[in-house]
Amino acid sequence: MNIKKEITIYDLAKKLNYSPSTISRALNDNKSISKKTVKLVKDTAEEMGYRPNVLAAGLRNNKSKTIGISISRINRHFIASLISGIEETARKAGYNVIISQSNDKYKNEINNTKALYDSRITGLICSLSMETSDYEHFKQFTDKGIPIVFVDRVPNKFNSYKVVIDNYSAGYAATKHLIEQGCKRIAHFAGEQHLNVYEERKKGYLDALKEFNLPIEENLIHHFKTLSFEEGKKMTAKLMAMTNPPDGIFSANDTAAVSAIIYAKSKGIKIPEELAIIGFNDDPISSIVDPALSTVSHPAAKMGEISAKRILEHSKNNYDQSVSEVTILNTEIIIRDSSNRKKLLP
Amino acid sequence: MNIKKEITIYDLAKKLNYSPSTISRALNDNKSISKKTVKLVKDTAEEMGYRPNVLAAGLRNNKSKTIGISISRINRHFIASLISGIEETARKAGYNVIISQSNDKYKNEINNTKALYDSRITGLICSLSMETSDYEHFKQFTDKGIPIVFVDRVPNKFNSYKVVIDNYSAGYAATKHLIEQGCKRIAHFAGEQHLNVYEERKKGYLDALKEFNLPIEENLIHHFKTLSFEEGKKMTAKLMAMTNPPDGIFSANDTAAVSAIIYAKSKGIKIPEELAIIGFNDDPISSIVDPALSTVSHPAAKMGEISAKRILEHSKNNYDQSVSEVTILNTEIIIRDSSNRKKLLP
DNA sequence: TTGTACGCGTTATCAC
DNA sequence: GTGATAACGCGTACAA
């Protein structure tokens, strides 16, 4: 195994008869170095195949140019897009991105944040695990002045940056849409209520019903563990077997909504005439399923971009994070055939 | 901003009246330290809130416990699952994972691999960008004895680990399946031919036709730039407008295959009776589209797991990477309604 | 089993 | 505009 030696700033210094400090400064575009020297140093570095050792720089600065991510699982469309947005923004700024998956387990989230902390990340971007309801493990970052951006699934009480959508309004709008289509008995597939996103979507749903003087029926509201396809299918079967089944479903995610479409179709229930359905997220499956699923679209990549920028700005300006700065993004109701009764009229 | 000071092994040493080296050894489970001391040190570390500085350790060892990933885009189902598998395996072993997206641009891949190199990664896992046909930028790793695992989209000539599926056999099997359903004129949606995966899928297709004495018709074989939904739709329209249109399509990915289904449906073409379709990847949309898409399934997460293990083993055993070690995983043909003509028989 | 001493590559501080 | 020096936190060869 013939391993070549690394070129360091000392090698450059020797070669150019400069001191290592000058080389370092030149490579970092320090103003006190003449432009000529900077160019000379950079050219020589390129030529000699010099590669900076970010570990050494990180040790010296007690900070690596790295953004840490803690999310539930990568292979969900929303999350993948979010990460994509973070990565693109970070890389443009010369930052690396470390990812960690909690698989929605509180315990994993704790271990992962520890590992990220140990890597001396510049900042943390986190979307909470399903199980998380305690936030002690994030203190280690704020104690050291390391910024945290919570995205999408955020804690209620914790000083940090937050990047979210207006889940309440989206839930309200989705429900209102179904009402406008003539639905009188709208079921809701809700998620874990200690998570802001599901809690607020439900609130929006409830308030829309009230607003339009529709009764709130507890047996039409169901709290799901994971909002999975299987859960959705089972629940749809249960609902449609009622003596007085619902004529609309607002699901807190697309996976469960699609399962409802597929179950209903298999039973010959007409969508949207007998059952209008709207989901949440605008996953790729939503536009593929037949009839296509109405849904609420998230600007996922944009959220990632904003989150990364928060970290970069914070780091650049040495901000103090004593306040919560919340960014709220707009959502969009996308109306497709699963809820579009008006399209059917002459 | 009240920033607490970090605890180091020196603080532990002072507290316990040991030397820093003993602390270091104890924390790393060095055999020459008594179990009692190890326990004492670890307990005290825990108690005092000691956190290792991986940057310092990395600098010392000229290696950070990090696996670098270079892929096209995260928000594709196959890639997300792959990364998920890598991350899980790496984290269990105490390794971090840095991701980088090329967006299928050669230039980005070069920049990203540089950044990963600078982070002193333990190993690189890479799935080539669409544009990549030169592999110079990977030499920097092999020159330094850093292992590379190419996954899925791999170079033909480059000494490294490789983790792939048998694209040839899968292409052959998919085509054979269509033939067995009675297809006589099978079109192929092919990808960039300098990428092994698309080249081999096409070869399998061609050989299956030959094997069953079907003519190879160049006007039924089309090379796509990205195999996108739009490309697929356009091409399907073109094919179905022929005076003698195909009665089957083997698409090198699911996205294009699904677009074919949707286009055909919109034109009243019966699937699978008039047009049988099979895709590749088993994306989530495949089982949702109606009729459900037959496809070839990849063990994506498994591929990620194996890739990560290759890096970890290599690093553990100080292997010399002078040979190419190729792992070939099995695929599975999943037959759904888009190609299942036999199901329609009485 | 433990301690001493040094170096990994970089950058901040002070000096000129 | 440039140089000398120390320090970041850790691991290890060598010594005891």
Side-chain angles (χ1 to χ4, degrees):
Chain A
M1 186 149 47
N2 191 12
I3 293 176
K4 294 181 191 166
K5 215 194 148 301
E6 304 266 351
I7 308 287
T8 72
I9 55 172
Y10 285 94
D11 299 317
L12 291 175
K14 213 172 286 172
K15 173 94 165 193
L16 294 173
N17 275 322
Y18 272 124
S19 74
S21 5
T22 302
I23 305 294
S24 170
R25 283 189 272 245
L27 291 172
N28 290 311
D29 288 311
N30 189 308
K31 290 166 236 141
S32 67
I33 304 286
S34 73
K35 277 176 189 147
K36 220 178 83 185
T37 315
V38 169
K39 177 153 174 46
L40 175 67
V41 170
K42 285 192 175 174
D43 287 352
T44 315
E46 176 73 33
E47 185 191 312
M48 292 180 69
Y50 166 79
R51 303 301 294 281
N53 187 325
V54 300
L55 266 48
L59 171 60
R60 182 58 235 244
N61 301 327
N62 195 30
K63 183 163 289 186
S64 71
K65 291 185 103 180
T66 302
I67 292 180
I69 302 183
S70 171
I71 38 78
S72 54
R73 319 198 70 235
I74 296 166
N75 49 355
R76 288 186 190 158
H77 183 255
F78 170 72
I79 297 287
S81 300
L82 180 77
I83 298 178
S84 191
I86 296 172
E87 195 272 342
E88 242 167 64
T89 311
R91 196 151 298 286
K92 273 182 203 152
Y95 279 67
N96 275 325
V97 172
I98 298 182
I99 46 164
S100 70
Q101 306 184 96
S102 68
N103 280 311
D104 276 319
K105 302 285 177 221
Y106 173 58
K107 218 172 166 181
N108 288 341
E109 193 175 271
I110 290 186
N111 287 334
N112 294 351
T113 46
K114 263 191 191 170
L116 293 176
Y117 176 87
D118 293 345
S119 297
R120 302 306 191 261
I121 56 175
T122 300
L124 173 70
I125 298 176
C126 177
S127 182
L128 295 170
S129 95
M130 281 272 190
E131 290 181 1
T132 305
S133 55
D134 174 280
Y135 314 113
E136 262 309 306
H137 53 303
F138 295 114
K139 283 258 177 66
Q140 58 187 326
F141 297 101
T142 48
D143 280 353
K144 294 288 191 304
I146 300 168
I148 304 180
V149 181
F150 286 104
V151 200
D152 195 46
R153 294 189 193 162
V154 308
N156 286 323
K157 329 162 201 189
F158 196 91
N159 264 350
S160 67
Y161 295 110
K162 287 173 193 165
V163 176
V164 292
I165 53 166
D166 186 343
N167 287 284
Y168 172 82
S169 298
Y172 182 92
T175 312
K176 185 179 165 201
H177 163 71
L178 291 181
I179 296 171
E180 286 171 350
Q181 300 300 312
C183 294
K184 301 285 178 208
R185 307 193 66 243
I186 301 171
H188 179 43
F189 290 179
E192 285 281 1
Q193 289 300 298
H194 68 267
L195 286 176
N196 64 307
V197 294
Y198 300 123
E199 187 195 351
E200 291 172 14
R201 286 170 203 177
K202 182 177 167 189
K203 270 192 199 152
Y205 157 82
L206 293 174
D207 281 4
L209 293 187
K210 279 181 212 154
E211 187 82 13
F212 289 88
N213 295 313
L214 290 176
I216 289 164
E217 300 182 51
E218 283 304 333
N219 56 353
L220 292 183
I221 302 172
H222 292 280
H223 297 94
F224 288 57
K225 195 100 197 106
T226 62
L227 288 163
S228 68
F229 196 89
E230 289 68 31
E231 266 186 314
K233 211 160 176 175
K234 227 184 252 173
M235 189 50 67
T236 311
K238 210 163 153 185
L239 285 172
M240 299 317 287
M242 290 169 66
T243 46
N244 191 8
D247 55 2
I249 297 177
F250 164 41
S251 170
N253 82 359
D254 280 351
T255 310
V258 165
S259 75
I261 291 183
I262 289 178
Y263 176 83
K265 256 170 66 174
S266 77
K267 293 297 173 190
I269 298 163
K270 280 187 190 138
I271 301 172
E273 299 91 320
E274 297 174 55
L275 184 66
I277 304 177
I278 186 165
F280 212 108
N281 281 350
D282 196 21
D283 282 346
I285 48 167
S286 315
S287 50
I288 299 299
V289 69
D290 187 14
L293 175 66
S294 297
T295 187
V296 178
S297 91
H298 259 175
K302 186 81 189 164
M303 291 173 86
E305 187 190 323
I306 292 174
S307 305
K309 281 187 176 156
R310 278 268 176 271
I311 304 274
L312 297 174
E313 279 164 23
H314 182 104
S315 158
K316 196 173 161 196
N317 304 321
N318 260 311
Y319 280 145
D320 184 357
Q321 190 175 58
S322 53
V323 290
S324 261
E325 212 168 307
V326 183
T327 309
I328 302 174
L329 284 92
N330 284 329
T331 56
E332 199 184 338
I333 301 267
I334 298 179
I335 299 171
R336 300 203 180 98
D337 291 349
S338 74
S339 73
N340 198 354
R341 288 178 176 171
K342 309 215 163 150
K343 187 185 166 189
L344 303 173
L345 302 177
Chain B
M1 188 148 46
N2 191 13
I3 293 175
K4 294 180 191 167
K5 218 197 144 300
E6 304 266 352
I7 308 287
T8 71
I9 55 172
Y10 289 93
D11 299 318
L12 290 176
K14 213 172 287 173
K15 172 94 164 194
L16 294 173
N17 276 322
Y18 272 123
S19 76
S21 39
T22 302
I23 305 295
S24 170
R25 284 189 269 246
L27 290 172
N28 290 311
D29 289 310
N30 188 308
K31 288 166 238 137
S32 68
I33 304 286
S34 74
K35 275 174 194 152
K36 218 178 84 185
T37 315
V38 169
K39 176 154 172 41
L40 176 65
V41 170
K42 286 193 174 174
D43 287 351
T44 314
E46 175 73 33
E47 186 190 313
M48 291 180 69
Y50 166 79
R51 302 301 293 280
N53 187 324
V54 299
L55 266 49
L59 171 61
R60 185 58 239 251
N61 302 326
N62 195 29
K63 183 164 289 189
S64 72
K65 291 186 102 178
T66 302
I67 292 180
I69 303 184
S70 171
I71 38 77
S72 54
R73 319 197 71 235
I74 296 166
N75 49 356
R76 288 186 190 157
H77 183 254
F78 170 73
I79 297 288
S81 300
L82 179 77
I83 298 178
S84 191
I86 296 172
E87 195 272 343
E88 240 167 66
T89 312
R91 195 151 298 286
K92 272 183 205 151
Y95 279 68
N96 275 325
V97 173
I98 297 182
I99 46 164
S100 71
Q101 305 183 94
S102 69
N103 280 310
D104 277 318
K105 301 286 175 219
Y106 173 57
K107 219 172 164 181
N108 289 342
E109 193 175 271
I110 291 187
N111 287 334
N112 294 351
T113 46
K114 264 192 191 167
L116 293 176
Y117 176 87
D118 293 345
S119 297
R120 303 304 191 263
I121 56 175
T122 301
L124 173 71
I125 298 177
C126 177
S127 182
L128 294 171
S129 95
M130 280 272 189
E131 291 181 2
T132 305
S133 56
D134 173 280
Y135 314 112
E136 263 308 307
H137 52 302
F138 294 114
K139 283 257 176 68
Q140 58 188 325
F141 296 101
T142 46
D143 280 352
K144 295 290 190 303
I146 299 169
I148 303 179
V149 181
F150 286 103
V151 200
D152 196 45
R153 294 189 193 161
V154 308
N156 286 322
K157 325 158 204 188
F158 195 92
N159 263 350
S160 67
Y161 295 109
K162 287 174 193 165
V163 177
V164 292
I165 53 166
D166 187 343
N167 286 285
Y168 172 82
S169 299
Y172 182 92
T175 310
K176 183 178 165 200
H177 163 70
L178 292 182
I179 296 171
E180 287 171 349
Q181 300 299 311
C183 294
K184 301 285 178 208
R185 308 193 65 241
I186 301 171
H188 179 44
F189 291 178
E192 285 282 1
Q193 289 301 298
H194 67 267
L195 286 176
N196 65 307
V197 294
Y198 300 124
E199 185 194 353
E200 290 172 14
R201 286 170 202 178
K202 182 177 166 188
K203 269 194 200 150
Y205 157 82
L206 293 173
D207 281 5
L209 294 187
K210 279 182 213 151
E211 187 83 12
F212 289 88
N213 296 312
L214 290 177
I216 289 165
E217 301 183 51
E218 284 303 333
N219 56 354
L220 292 182
I221 302 172
H222 292 280
H223 298 94
F224 288 55
K225 195 97 197 110
T226 62
L227 288 162
S228 69
F229 196 89
E230 289 68 31
E231 268 186 311
K233 213 162 176 174
K234 226 184 255 175
M235 189 50 67
T236 312
K238 208 164 154 184
L239 285 172
M240 299 317 286
M242 288 169 67
T243 46
N244 192 7
D247 56 1
I249 298 177
F250 164 42
S251 170
N253 83 0
D254 280 352
T255 309
V258 165
S259 75
I261 290 184
I262 288 178
Y263 176 84
K265 256 172 63 173
S266 76
K267 292 297 172 193
I269 298 163
K270 280 187 190 140
I271 301 172
E273 299 90 319
E274 298 173 53
L275 184 66
I277 304 177
I278 187 164
F280 212 110
N281 280 350
D282 196 20
D283 283 345
I285 48 167
S286 314
S287 49
I288 300 296
V289 70
D290 185 14
L293 175 67
S294 296
T295 186
V296 178
S297 91
H298 259 171
K302 187 83 191 165
M303 290 173 86
E305 186 189 323
I306 292 173
S307 304
K309 281 186 177 158
R310 278 269 176 269
I311 303 274
L312 297 172
E313 279 165 22
H314 181 104
S315 157
K316 195 173 162 194
N317 303 323
N318 261 312
Y319 279 146
D320 184 356
Q321 190 177 57
S322 53
V323 290
S324 261
E325 210 168 308
V326 182
T327 309
I328 301 174
L329 285 93
N330 284 329
T331 56
E332 199 185 338
I333 300 267
I334 299 180
I335 298 171
R336 301 204 180 98
D337 291 349
S338 74
S339 73
N340 198 354
R341 288 179 176 170
K342 309 221 160 142
K343 189 184 165 191
L344 303 172
L345 302 177

